[in-house]
Amino acid sequence: MTKEVIDLRSALELLESIPGQMVHTDVEVDPSAELAGVYRYVGAGGTVARPTKTGPAMTFENVKGHQGAKVVIGLLASRKRVGYLLNSKPEKLGFMMRDAVKNAIAPVVVDKAKAQCQEVVHLATDESFDIRKLIPAPTNTPEDAGPYVTLGMCYASDVETGESDVTIHRLCLQSKDEISMFFTPGARHLGAFREKAEALGKPLPISISIGVDPAIEIASCFEPPTTPLGFNELSIAGAIRGKAVELAPCVTIDEKCIANAEYVIEGELLVGARVREDQNSNTGKAMPEFPGYTGPANAELPVIKVKAVTHRVNPIMQTCIGPSEEHVSMAGIPTEASILDMVERAMPGRVQNVYAHSSGGGKFIAVIQFKKTVPSDEG
């Protein structure tokens, strides 16, 4: 590819240059249920309720209640498009990701002067501060607990060792300065950081970077044992691009954020604070999950107290629908890489490819292809 992808904007520019990969609309759309509902018909794919299909990514340029903001969806909802964005043949993405893990390049911290994500700063102490007005987070269905940030790169550090990591979590906007954060039990590095901080009676500083280089979004979905506790997945994104991901110091907390993100939410996970996920909607539901069903709302979730929201000039919000092909790409391709590595170590030279996909029944399937072997003449 001639176009270098370094952030969300350059990724969108690349897709604009490829026929059939990006569409736009300037018709006003309501972020509450309508935006995701429209994209369901355009190209969500995956286990989204039919009718849906593989289609282009889509930019909504006129979002009700959020003048001047844009929302892009479906960036990774096609394996072919992921190949374009990561400069790899679609069938070789798992191999490329496996090699990136082995050749990780650690992130670097740049001066605040280079932090494009801080071109505009809104402090929680401002009288008019309200994350629900600043962040055009969609509500995917009428049953959702509320508006969700579905593609927030959550970055935090171990309060004792200083080791850092990035993961994606389900984040529901609960009030003008509070967000609930869902942790999959035992599956996320930040969960261990939060538990340690809380046991020590310390709030955990956390940044949430939204609208970033797609390499970061894919890399952040690796899990143990491929990336054990203490392994910063931003280093995988660095290997994909051949240069370190740039971080910047946050404005209000002692933590870093992704320097060229479109939006950054800065805050702290509070000690002992819990909130009912659907306290504002009372639907009893959370949001659509990867297999296609709508999960129940959690009775008690940790709370992030927001300190600031920063963003680029004319920011672009990025989102996804929970059960779409986008989720298949993010969860599936790192899984392919992990399986390739494990099988290769167990059976050197035998594995030909691994392909992860969603089935019509809402299941996640990994297909392993082995090379044909020539029968031995020996008994």
Side-chain angles (χ1 to χ4, degrees), residues 110-118 246 248 259-260:
V110 300
D111 187 84
K112 283 189 176 184
K114 292 188 66 177
Q116 293 171 294
C117 65
Q118 295 169 1
E246 293 185 343
N260 59 14

Side-chain angles (χ1 to χ4, degrees), residues 9-27:
R9 297 189 185 198
S10 55
L12 296 177
E13 288 175 11
L14 171 62
L15 295 183
E16 295 283 4
S17 70
I18 304 172
Q21 294 302 321
M22 175 64 67
V23 294
H24 302 259
T25 178
D26 59 4
V27 176

Side-chain angles (χ1 to χ4, degrees), residues 29-40 58 60 62-63 70-73 136 138-140 319 321:
V29 64
D30 193 328
S32 180
E34 187 178 28
L35 188 151
V38 170
Y39 192 63
R40 170 186 163 191
M58 189 170 187
F60 293 87
N62 186 357
V63 182
K70 297 180 180 180
V71 176
V72 64
I73 188 170
T139 304
N140 282 336
T319 189
I321 302 175

Side-chain angles (χ1 to χ4, degrees), residues 123-138:
L123 300 176
T125 53
D126 296 340
E127 186 176 349
S128 61
F129 184 86
D130 191 332
I131 55 174
R132 297 164 298 187
K133 297 177 181 178
L134 293 170
I135 307 292

Side-chain angles (χ1 to χ4, degrees), residues 2 18 22 52 71 83 86 88 127 132 147 176 191 194 200 207 231 238 252 282 287-288 296 299 335 363 372 374 376:
T2 57
I18 304 172
M22 175 64 67
T52 192
V71 176
L86 300 189
S88 170
E127 186 176 349
R132 297 164 298 187
K176 69 176 185 177
R194 183 196 65 80
L200 294 171
S207 70
F231 189 109
T252 62
N282 296 307
M287 62 173 288
T335 299
K363 297 180 180 179
K372 292 183 179 180
V374 179
S376 173

Side-chain angles (χ1 to χ4, degrees), residues 24-107:
H24 302 259
T25 178
D26 59 4
V27 176
E28 184 182 71
V29 64
D30 193 328
S32 180
E34 187 178 28
L35 188 151
V38 170
Y39 192 63
R40 170 186 163 191
Y41 290 89
V42 173
T47 53
V48 169
R50 271 43 185 172
T52 192
K53 58 188 177 182
T54 299
M58 189 170 187
T59 300
F60 293 87
E61 299 178 348
N62 186 357
V63 182
K64 184 178 180 180
H66 297 277
Q67 187 175 4
K70 297 180 180 180
V71 176
V72 64
I73 188 170
L75 201 68
L76 304 172
S78 153
R79 192 180 182 94
K80 179 184 292 186
R81 190 152 59 246
V82 175
Y84 289 138
L85 292 167
L86 300 189
N87 197 20
S88 170
K89 293 181 179 179
E91 66 272 18
K92 292 297 183 181
L93 283 164
F95 291 91
M96 183 270 291
M97 295 293 291
R98 178 199 61 183
D99 293 343
V101 174
K102 295 180 179 180
N103 298 284
I105 299 175

Side-chain angles (χ1 to χ4, degrees), residues 141-187:
T141 79
E143 291 185 327
D144 281 16
Y148 279 93
V149 174
T150 55
L151 283 176
M153 306 299 111
C154 301
Y155 195 81
S157 304
D158 187 303
V159 294
E160 291 184 320
T161 69
E163 294 174 329
S164 304
D165 198 10
V166 63
T167 52
I168 299 175
H169 293 263
R170 191 168 76 203
L171 305 163
C172 188
L173 307 188
Q174 295 291 350
S175 70
K176 69 176 185 177
D177 63 354
E178 290 183 331
I179 299 173
S180 62
M181 185 172 182
F182 175 73
F183 289 86
T184 303

Side-chain angles (χ1 to χ4, degrees), residues 130-304:
D130 191 332
I131 55 174
R132 297 164 298 187
K133 297 177 181 178
L134 293 170
I135 307 292
T139 304
N140 282 336
T141 79
E143 291 185 327
D144 281 16
Y148 279 93
V149 174
T150 55
L151 283 176
M153 306 299 111
C154 301
Y155 195 81
S157 304
D158 187 303
V159 294
E160 291 184 320
T161 69
E163 294 174 329
S164 304
D165 198 10
V166 63
T167 52
I168 299 175
H169 293 263
R170 191 168 76 203
L171 305 163
C172 188
L173 307 188
Q174 295 291 350
S175 70
K176 69 176 185 177
D177 63 354
E178 290 183 331
I179 299 173
S180 62
M181 185 172 182
F182 175 73
F183 289 86
T184 303
R188 298 290 189 214
H189 297 177
L190 264 62
F193 296 167
R194 183 196 65 80
E195 290 170 4
K196 179 184 284 190
E198 189 162 66
L200 294 171
K202 297 180 179 180
L204 183 69
I206 183 170
S207 70
I208 303 163
S209 300
I210 308 167
V212 300
D213 179 354
I216 295 174
E217 294 161 353
I218 293 282
S220 68
C221 293
F222 272 96
E223 301 261 356
T226 303
T227 55
L229 188 64
F231 189 109
N232 190 335
E233 277 84 0
L234 287 180
S235 62
I236 302 175
I240 292 172
R241 297 303 184 201
K243 61 181 180 181
V245 172
E246 293 185 343
L247 301 174
C250 290
V251 174
T252 62
I253 59 173
D254 184 18
E255 192 48 274
K256 311 297 187 298
C257 60
I258 297 170
N260 59 14
E262 293 291 324
Y263 290 90
V264 173
I265 301 172
E266 301 181 3
E268 292 179 331
L269 275 160
L270 300 178
V271 177
R274 299 293 185 271
V275 67
R276 180 164 58 89
E277 195 168 14
D278 65 334
Q279 65 172 345
N280 296 310
S281 66
N282 296 307
T283 63
K285 304 290 181 68
M287 62 173 288
E289 305 281 2
F290 162 68
Y293 59 79
T294 299
N298 288 272
E300 293 187 346
L301 287 182
V303 176
I304 297 171

